[in-house]
Amino acid sequence: MLGWLTILLECRWQRSIFPVAICLFLTVCVSRADGLELTMAKHLFDIKDTFNQPSDLTVAQDGTIYVVDGVNGRIQAFSPTGKYLFTIGHPGTGPGEFAFPLGMDIDKSGRLYVADSRNHRIQILTSKGDFISEIPVPDKNGNKADPTDVAVDDSGKWFFVADNNNHRILRFDTGSKKLTNSYGKPGAEKWEFRYPFLMHLHHNKDLYIVDVINTRVQVVNTEGKFVTLIGGWGVEKGQFFRPKGVAVDKNGLAYVSDSYMGVVQLFNITGTFHSVLGDPVSGGVRKFTTPVGLFVDDSMRLYVVEMLPGRLSVFSLDNAQ
């Protein structure tokens, strides 16, 4: 399972190899300072001291920020300025309760979809956290499903689920609660995965899937056709050491977090490297600690979940185009 245990093991591993890797990356960035493309991100505010290993977030049309607070078994909601609003759920197996939730999404009506990983289900809730329904994610050949993320279309009629342990992507019909398609298998070719994790559905058309151990993002369309690959293993720009989160802005730029390298990189719609997230104060690469889930809203605010510090950081993007 590439869930909490593996994430924790990775974080312990990085204490020995991470400094070397990030030094390599930063050496590349510094030595090529004149040629490295940066997209500057102005820091607005942080939300912290309330989470235990958060992993993902989503933002409603009214600006309400929802953060998956996984180890605490809950979702926390905040105002657009970061003020605490309310908490959804607590640890458990009943309706509206969670066992290590990991990813989430929201539809246009404000309904929340939560990947309740250890309960092997997707829960659907109102914007205030009231329970609507649950959809079990089926086993595969006796192997328990491990839903790590959900990506829903705007209407809420259907959604995709990343089944991490079984290396597949599932499509469900919301109304009937039925599984309608299953894609992928273990491997490193197109439409093959090694622990798919977080996802982003762009314009109800293209699904961006973080393929963690293959160190890439796969882009496929909702008809099941392969579109492109983003990244690959390495420490140069445009490469990943351990990708975890992905988001796409209104201009079509894809943002990918690398939990080991501590950076967020941007890619064009073709999958080619665009830039690295920069810090306008230092003029260099903006560095994070175990960045995971990402979100970019229509006002070009970038939200970054950092797992180990237990922090959500919010930025405005100056030159992402």
Side-chain angles (χ1 to χ4, degrees):
M1 172 182 179
L2 193 75
W4 295 101
L5 177 59
T6 303
I7 289 171
L8 290 173
L9 288 174
E10 288 179 352
C11 291
R12 293 190 185 102
W13 184 38
Q14 77 176 10
R15 291 171 189 168
S16 60
I17 68 170
F18 175 69
V20 176
I22 198 165
C23 283
L24 285 172
F25 184 86
L26 292 177
T27 298
V28 169
C29 293
V30 171
S31 65
R32 302 179 186 174
D34 292 339
L36 183 69
E37 300 84 355
L38 296 177
T39 290
M40 294 302 178
K42 179 182 178 182
H43 181 255
L44 298 178
F45 62 87
D46 292 333
I47 302 173
K48 56 184 179 180
D49 301 326
T50 185
F51 307 118
N52 190 349
Q53 296 182 40
S55 52
D56 198 16
L57 81 149
T58 192
V59 180
Q61 288 188 315
D62 66 1
T64 301
I65 305 165
Y66 298 90
V67 182
V68 180
D69 190 8
V71 174
N72 287 326
R74 63 189 183 182
I75 308 298
Q76 294 203 59
F78 302 87
S79 75
T81 59
K83 179 182 177 182
Y84 171 79
L85 297 177
F86 54 88
T87 294
I88 300 171
H90 56 267
T93 60
E97 298 175 343
F98 304 102
F100 295 99
L102 277 164
M104 72 182 306
D105 203 359
I106 191 169
D107 65 23
K108 288 295 185 183
S109 69
R111 290 179 296 184
L112 302 170
Y113 298 70
V114 182
D116 190 5
S117 66
R118 293 281 180 84
N119 285 326
H120 318 292
R121 66 186 179 184
I122 302 301
Q123 292 203 63
I124 304 175
L125 312 164
T126 69
S127 60
K128 297 300 182 183
D130 298 320
F131 177 80
I132 297 175
S133 65
E134 66 176 59
I135 299 177
V137 182
D139 300 353
K140 181 181 180 182
N141 300 326
N143 296 319
K144 288 284 189 182
D146 180 26
T148 54
D149 201 14
V150 56
V152 62
D153 83 308
D154 287 344
S155 69
K157 293 181 179 179
W158 50 266
F159 58 86
F160 288 97
V161 174
D163 183 359
N164 185 270
N165 273 359
N166 291 306
H167 315 285
R168 60 180 179 166
I169 305 298
L170 307 175
R171 178 169 170 159
F172 288 85
D173 178 86
T174 308
S176 68
K177 300 185 180 181
K178 291 183 178 180
L179 174 65
T180 58
N181 291 99
S182 177
Y183 306 99
K185 61 181 180 179
E189 301 300 320
K190 297 176 182 178
W191 262 123
E192 295 179 349
F193 302 99
R194 295 170 67 200
Y195 299 101
F197 191 52
L198 296 183
M199 305 184 294
H200 176 89
L201 181 60
H202 186 54
H203 292 330
N204 298 327
K205 179 182 178 182
D206 291 326
L207 184 66
Y208 290 69
I209 307 160
V210 179
D211 190 4
V212 177
I213 302 301
N214 283 327
T215 59
R216 65 190 185 186
V217 173
Q218 284 204 61
V219 185
V220 299
N221 67 25
T222 53
E223 297 176 353
K225 296 181 180 179
F226 174 82
V227 177
T228 191
L229 293 174
I230 297 174
W233 190 90
V235 296
E236 295 276 357
K237 64 181 184 180
Q239 299 175 329
F240 306 124
F241 205 85
R242 189 65 87 237
K244 285 292 174 63
V246 62
V248 182
D249 69 23
K250 63 183 180 181
N251 299 317
L253 285 177
Y255 300 66
V256 183
S257 62
D258 192 316
S259 64
Y260 273 11
M261 303 304 294
V263 297
V264 174
Q265 297 189 66
L266 283 67
F267 296 82
N268 292 313
I269 196 167
T270 58
T272 57
F273 174 79
H274 176 277
S275 57
V276 179
L277 206 67
D279 180 354
V281 175
S282 69
V285 175
R286 182 173 288 280
K287 294 172 285 184
F288 299 91
T289 303
T290 57
V292 189
L294 305 173
F295 191 94
V296 185
D297 65 21
D298 288 341
S299 63
M300 296 301 288
R301 292 211 310 182
L302 171 67
Y303 305 75
V304 181
V305 174
E306 294 176 273
M307 179 173 278
L308 289 188
R311 177 171 59 223
L312 172 68
S313 298
V314 184
F315 306 88
S316 64
L317 296 164
D318 295 334
N319 61 335
Q321 56 184 344

